[in-house]
Amino acid sequence: MDITKFVVSHRENALLYGDYATYRAQLSRKLLNSRKKLNIATKSRGKFHPKAQITAEQISDNHEYLHLALLTAERTWAHAMSMKASHAADTKGMTSKARSHIVSRLEKGARTAEKLADALSQDAVSGANPNDILEARAYAALLRGAANFEKQSWEDCIVSYAVARMIYSALSTSTKGDIYKDLLTDTIDPSIRYAAYQAKIPRTQPIPSIAKKAFAKADDDLVDRVKAVNPSVLEQGDVAMTGVTGAEGAPTTITWRSREVKIEDASIAGAWASVQTAKAKLNERLSSASSLAPKDKAAAYDDILAATQDAVDATKQAIDELRGEGVTQSDPRMQSLQITRTAVNFEMISWRIGRNRVLAGELDGARATFEDLSKRKKKAQEAEQASERPKEEAPGRQIAKLKEKVVLYDGTLQSLETITELPGVANDQELFTRLQATSQYFTALKSLAIARSHSLAHNDANALALIRHALTQTESALPILSSTSSEEPSPARNILVSAADIQTLHSLLNGELQRARALVEISEHNKNKKPQPGSSNGKPLIGQLANYPSSGQVNLENIVVYPPKLEAIPVKPIFLDVAWNYIDYPEKVVGEKKQEAKVEQKLQQSAEEAQEEEEEKPKKRGWFGFGR
């Protein structure tokens, strides 16, 4: 029967382009059409007859009676929401008369939905399956919860919404689709949280736990029906969120810089539990698959980045709620939330930096490798099979890849700057100093990447200056980052730069500096060298070894061509000429065949032309044209 889908689709289609008043008008027209189909509509100027209650037999004979009840309940709900929306802009608040009118509309809709659920519960007569009965009960509980919410009866409101939540949680695991999950996250969970707050229930209790306790007050028949669909929902409160957000057993404290803070909000506790779970999964995946490509490793960070973002959002929402209640910054609850905010933001940015480091490549992109390890191995194997030398990438493509690395380093430096702006970070001298050293480390990597691009463009002087700047940054950060505790490094990279990383970069930059100096020296030497006697035609000495210098002087500054050029050299020409006559190369055979075909074609053409000339040759005649 798809009761939930029928209701949700009607609401979405109407509210997409209109408001609740438009939705109510559409429902009135659909109700009239439904009554006309059932032949129970009151005719024009006809006598009004009271509407009879819908029975299970009628629903079994025609499902239009089911739609009639749903449209009636929805129209009362739309009427109530329309009145509530019209009074939302009143500065003086809603009057008691308007509130009582809204409650009466919602009560009528709840009664209509409950009567429909009772009729469907007679499954032997109505022909409804267990899911249809549960959907009807959940819809009735949803409307009853809205009525209790407006009456400000918070205990009854929690019980009604708990019934709807437990039913939709059970149905969401047994059927496909996100309709139930959207109802849970958009309507039911916020209403339970607000009602629990008004009922003075501590924030540390997660929503699934509150719903589980409230659902225990429901009738036994409903409990048995939920158990038949999914019994684990009654044990855990929410199967989809077990071990993640809102699960029982979530952490109650969070530690930041040796300071432990109590987590008072259940949503933050659940989000922080999901962060710890995602961290363990990330370490397990990266430790078991060490040969993954950088892009595959970076994709493994998606779950933990999403989990940390949820924790940041939950913390921000909790702070906004306290500010809305008028809580000052000096309040202990606000102070705890500010520390929690710094901790979760630092965690999120740390993993974001780790993802950039993985994307940069080996040793945070310091190695002069422009391809993934797997791609290099594959290309080497293919070249080995083809017995050819693998082609090097063009300088333009190498420079483009270096630009991508520079973008990653820029993003990392921006993230580090964001961390310094978090509350309490600037006052922590040790942390602030370490962040500055980390920033110098990534600045050195950025300078190294730019220097390599200049080197590919043959700007050796610029490359030397950039490498020198990178080495200066590394030397400044080396004493601070080398004091990192010598723990076993985690397979998942984050903001922490180990002592091995900074020391390896320092030694690498020392070698790059010597290389850059040599290249600059060679280029300057080539610019300033002058032709000397004995260097005829500017040829290098290696090409004139057979010629004795007439002047007796040899130009030792022009020994070889640097950089070397690809040139053709003679290799045993007489031997190759003789071998050509005896070896049938494919090109030679094809050329001979083509030549033979051309000769045959010419002979055939000449024979045809001779024959035509003989046919056209005139016969001999006498003196006066008479034949002989």
Side-chain angles (χ1 to χ4, degrees), residues 293-575:
K295 288 185 179 180
D296 297 332
K297 288 183 180 180
Y301 282 75
D302 292 344
D303 293 340
I304 194 168
L305 288 176
T308 51
Q309 184 63 56
D310 292 340
V312 170
D313 294 340
T315 308
K316 183 178 181 300
Q317 183 179 359
I319 293 175
D320 292 342
E321 289 177 358
L322 287 182
R323 284 176 179 168
E325 296 170 11
V327 178
T328 60
Q329 289 288 341
S330 59
D331 190 273
R333 292 177 296 170
M334 185 66 78
Q335 292 290 327
S336 299
L337 282 177
Q338 291 292 352
I339 296 173
T340 305
R341 176 193 171 193
T342 302
V344 295
N345 275 281
F346 182 87
E347 189 76 11
M348 180 188 69
I349 297 172
S350 173
W351 291 114
R352 190 186 298 167
I353 292 173
R355 184 176 181 272
N356 288 347
R357 294 178 67 183
V358 168
L359 281 173
E362 187 180 359
L363 192 59
D364 299 331
R367 300 287 186 194
T369 54
F370 303 102
E371 296 177 285
D372 298 337
L373 183 62
S374 58
K375 292 183 179 179
R376 291 206 310 270
K377 287 182 178 179
K378 186 177 179 182
K379 287 187 176 182
Q381 290 175 358
E382 291 177 355
E384 219 178 285
Q385 293 174 0
S387 298
E388 294 179 0
R389 186 179 179 181
K391 295 182 179 179
E392 294 184 357
E393 285 190 341
R397 294 193 62 181
Q398 295 183 13
I399 292 175
K401 291 184 178 181
L402 288 170
K403 286 182 179 179
E404 294 176 2
K405 287 186 179 182
V406 171
V407 171
L408 292 174
Y409 297 141
D410 283 335
T412 301
L413 292 172
Q414 289 177 5
S415 299
L416 289 169
E417 186 178 353
T418 304
I419 291 178
T420 58
E421 297 173 358
L422 293 175
V425 173
N427 297 330
D428 193 337
Q429 188 63 33
E430 181 184 355
L431 177 60
F432 190 76
T433 305
R434 182 167 292 276
L435 288 174
Q436 283 185 329
T438 306
S439 179
Q440 290 174 337
Y441 171 78
F442 286 104
T443 302
L445 288 171
K446 176 183 175 182
S447 300
L448 178 60
I450 300 174
R452 283 175 175 161
S453 65
H454 278 282
S455 180
L456 289 170
H458 303 292
N459 298 327
D460 297 326
N462 295 345
L464 176 60
L466 287 165
I467 291 175
R468 180 58 189 167
H469 174 67
L471 184 61
T472 303
Q473 295 288 322
T474 307
E475 289 174 348
S476 301
L478 184 61
I480 300 171
L481 297 180
S482 296
S483 60
T484 307
S485 57
S486 58
E487 299 178 357
E488 186 177 353
S490 172
R493 284 185 171 270
N494 52 15
I495 194 175
L496 182 63
V497 178
S498 63
D501 293 337
I502 187 66
Q503 289 170 3
T504 306
L505 179 61
H506 184 262
S507 60
L508 177 66
L509 286 173
N510 274 322
E512 290 289 332
L513 182 64
Q514 302 304 324
R515 177 177 176 274
R517 282 174 176 169
L519 291 174
V520 170
E521 186 67 25
I522 291 173
S523 62
E524 291 295 326
H525 184 271
N526 290 336
K527 288 179 183 177
N528 299 330
K529 74 177 181 179
K530 300 178 181 178
Q532 294 184 4
S535 59
S536 58
N537 301 327
K539 291 183 179 180
L541 182 61
I542 194 171
Q544 303 178 20
L545 294 178
N547 301 329
Y548 184 80
S550 58
S551 60
Q553 296 181 355
V554 179
N555 183 12
L556 297 179
E557 294 184 356
N558 190 15
I559 300 175
V560 294
V561 177
Y562 183 83
K565 297 180 180 179
L566 186 64
E567 297 177 351
I569 59 173
V571 180
K572 301 181 181 178
I574 299 176
F575 174 75

Side-chain angles (χ1 to χ4, degrees), residues 131-208:
N131 285 0
D132 296 332
I133 298 172
L134 285 177
E135 286 188 22
R137 295 291 296 270
Y139 178 64
L142 202 62
L143 293 183
R144 178 61 63 184
N148 291 328
F149 190 93
E150 296 301 328
K151 287 193 297 184
Q152 299 182 357
S153 179
W154 305 118
E155 295 291 341
D156 296 336
C157 176
I158 292 174
V159 172
S160 299
Y161 277 121
V163 170
R165 192 183 197 284
M166 298 298 285
I167 294 175
Y168 285 138
S169 296
L171 292 175
S172 64
T173 58
S174 60
T175 57
K176 295 180 179 179
D178 296 333
I179 298 178
Y180 306 119
K181 294 179 181 178
D182 293 342
L183 282 172
L184 289 173
T185 55
D186 297 340
T187 305
I188 298 176
D189 285 355
S191 302
I192 292 177
R193 175 54 65 193
Y194 185 80
Y197 170 75
Q198 294 292 341
K200 307 300 181 182
I201 297 176
R203 290 175 181 241
T204 54
Q205 290 192 22
I207 293 176

